[in-house]
Amino acid sequence: MLLAIDSGNTNIVFAVFEGDHLRGEWRTSTNAERTADELGVWLTQLLTIEGLRREDIGAAIIASVVPAMMFNLKTLCRRYFGCEPRVVGDEGVDLGLSILLDRPEEVGADRLVNAVAAHRRYQGALIVIDFGTATTFDVVDSGGNYCGGAIAPGINLSLEALHMAAAQLPRVAIGRPRQVIGKSTVPAMQSGIFWGYISLIEGLVRRIKEEYGGEMTVVATGGLAPLFADASPVIDALDADLTLRGLLEIHRRNAGPCCK
């Protein structure tokens, strides 16, 4: 079985694949001070709940945008699962795509993994929107090559910035208001954030398509993707497991025949 680890700025997702079947998926907050042993005990308990054992894991792959987490994640794989993890972005790890950028080394591993998975799962040119700590818009051409994109503040960052910068504005929960015109402070904030974000999504998608000059399928992923996918017709597909499926695909591309 494969242990896939997606380490983001806010959360780390651990998943176990048996072939194409996702046997388990668990999420914890990203904390660089959490040791490999702490992660190992936590993850071992969750595996047991799902009827899995540490010994069932034969390989591991990591994509991380938090360099401070890498040592503990590698140690976790070595100490608790007895395998040397493959790391997206390391020399020799074949992604099966070209990065058509001026500085390809600056692209986050998660964005490349999403591009790999999206090209495998969907046809033609693509826009992949990942609703995470930041909201990223990534362009993948019909050949599967990564062409660049746009990065916007995530909606939680926007909410926190609004609260921190304005003394009289409270923290509010993310939700889809029934009305655009708020009749009090909280509904007005919820409307501005939610419908403003919808306008951001639709505006960027429209501009990307115009600049690209062709038809494109828009795929949404990330924790808050369902909230926005239902509210905008520009999003064609919702794919919650896109990053994990990309890690599985990269593992298979780089593993020996007996390990796929």
Side-chain angles (χ1 to χ4, degrees), residues 3 15 30 36 40 49 87 98 100 113 125 135 137 171 212 219 221 223 239:
L3 174 64
T30 301
I49 292 172
V87 178
S98 295
L100 308 180
V113 172
T135 298
F137 297 73
R171 283 191 174 92
Y212 185 81
V219 181
T221 192
D239 198 326

Side-chain angles (χ1 to χ4, degrees), residues 50-116:
E50 295 297 326
L52 300 170
R53 303 174 304 155
R54 286 190 297 151
E55 295 79 10
D56 296 329
I57 306 299
I61 185 168
I62 301 171
S64 178
V65 297
V66 185
M69 285 299 309
M70 191 57 71
F71 176 80
N72 285 334
L73 292 175
K74 286 182 176 180
T75 303
L76 167 72
C77 295
R78 294 165 182 155
R79 183 175 298 167
Y80 285 85
F81 301 102
C83 59
E84 185 65 29
R86 184 168 286 110
V87 178
V88 176
D90 277 3
E91 186 177 356
V93 176
D94 179 17
L95 303 182
L97 55 74
S98 295
I99 305 172
L100 308 180
L101 302 183
D102 297 332
R103 299 177 66 90
E105 69 278 2
E106 294 182 353
V107 184
D110 55 341
R111 302 176 74 183
L112 297 177
V113 172
N114 284 345
V116 170

